[in-house]
Amino acid sequence: MKLFRPQAFQKFKPKIRPDGTRSQLCEVDTLALRRIQKGAMHHHWKGVMCNKNPFDLALYAQLLWELKPKSIIEIGYKFGGSALWFADQAEIMNLGARLYCVDVEQREQVSDPRITFVHGDGRDLGATLTDDVIAGLPHPWLIVEDADHHYLTTMAVMDFFAARMDAGDYLVVEDGICDTFGQEEKYDGGPNRAIFEFFEEYPDTFAVDAQYCDFYGNNVTWCTNGFLRRADD
């Protein structure tokens, strides 16, 4: 059976800077984005705060189906609403995926046998995601970096996973939208600075997947330039 793959994203051309890099900003009006953000901050799944916006919920659902990950690794889960959403979507799609969720604070309001919640710091993942743990997480991987938005945390998470990912695995870096909201100084450049420097360090290893970043328009996602695919070796 031939799978339907929407082609709407092809009509959008990403905004390119003079130096050849992609713009890190979302093209949607900032006032509209702030209204969507207000709703996202009150969004819940099965009564548990999830804090996901409608664009990314739709994009994640599509990525889950197309990637069919066997492991979903979430760095920063807060109350566990997004983990529960991922677990339910994976079950609906019959993916058989394991969820391994790490947060520096253990505030989960969920107890679910499909999800492993562990205490850990995004800036020191090796203390939590040991070699034995990593070996027990089958590929393909979907990694979601949704910690504290700070440049140092995002960079540490990306560096940790870079050498451990297989070709075709995805690393999604959330909250680059902070730049569009004018909060880059608050997070020392935040996720977007980390992504930019990450590509300088790994120029041929990862690629921004515009199918997701630009599906609704140029970076119409809270994960601006943040859907990263491990390239083929």
Side-chain angles (χ1 to χ4, degrees):
M1 180 178 67
K2 184 177 181 180
L3 295 179
F4 172 69
R5 292 174 59 87
Q7 299 298 311
F9 70 92
Q10 291 186 350
K11 67 184 179 183
F12 298 109
K13 293 182 178 180
K15 291 182 171 63
I16 305 297
R17 295 190 178 108
D19 64 359
T21 61
R22 287 171 52 95
S23 169
Q24 296 169 316
L25 301 180
C26 175
E27 72 172 359
V28 174
D29 175 76
T30 304
L31 177 60
L33 287 174
R34 291 188 183 279
R35 289 173 175 167
I36 295 168
Q37 172 71 351
K38 184 177 180 180
M41 294 307 295
H42 291 86
H43 179 262
H44 59 81
W45 180 254
K46 292 185 174 179
V48 183
M49 292 304 297
C50 183
N51 299 144
K52 287 282 189 279
N53 67 81
F55 301 112
D56 293 335
L57 286 171
L59 293 172
Y60 274 126
Q62 183 162 307
L63 177 55
L64 286 170
W65 180 252
E66 295 180 348
L67 177 61
K68 294 180 171 53
K70 291 301 180 185
S71 298
I72 301 171
I73 307 165
E74 188 178 30
I75 310 302
Y77 60 75
K78 203 169 184 179
F79 300 121
S82 56
L84 183 59
W85 184 87
F86 278 120
D88 285 343
Q89 301 308 307
E91 184 173 357
I92 290 169
M93 298 179 193
N94 197 30
L95 302 181
R98 295 185 55 187
L99 274 90
Y100 205 90
C101 303
V102 180
D103 201 300
V104 72
E105 296 184 62
Q106 290 191 280
R107 298 173 288 173
E108 64 269 19
Q109 299 173 357
V110 178
S111 179
D112 191 301
R114 301 169 299 176
I115 308 169
T116 300
F117 291 109
V118 295
H119 177 267
D121 188 342
R123 301 189 190 186
D124 185 23
L125 284 176
T128 301
L129 297 176
T130 63
D131 290 343
D132 287 343
V133 171
I134 290 291
L137 297 174
H139 297 263
W141 287 354
L142 169 58
I143 304 159
V144 179
E145 198 293 288
D146 190 18
D148 60 12
H149 321 331
H150 196 280
Y151 157 75
L152 291 175
T153 306
T154 302
M155 198 71 209
V157 172
M158 297 174 78
D159 277 336
F160 177 82
F161 283 113
R164 294 170 171 85
M165 294 169 66
D166 284 354
D169 288 346
Y170 274 78
L171 169 59
V172 181
V173 179
E174 297 224 4
D175 295 308
I177 197 71
C178 291
D179 281 20
T180 303
F181 289 149
Q183 298 177 319
E184 58 268 34
E185 290 187 9
K186 179 179 179 181
Y187 300 110
D188 194 20
N192 282 330
R193 176 186 170 192
I195 291 171
F196 185 85
E197 292 184 9
F198 184 75
F199 273 94
E200 290 186 324
E201 186 175 353
Y202 302 97
D204 301 315
T205 308
F206 289 83
V208 174
D209 193 335
Q211 174 182 190
Y212 299 106
C213 291
D214 301 337
F215 191 88
Y216 294 105
N218 293 300
N219 271 327
V220 182
T221 167
W222 268 225
C223 314
T224 55
N225 291 348
F227 285 85
L228 311 181
R229 182 183 183 275
R230 179 67 156 80
D232 296 333
D233 294 328

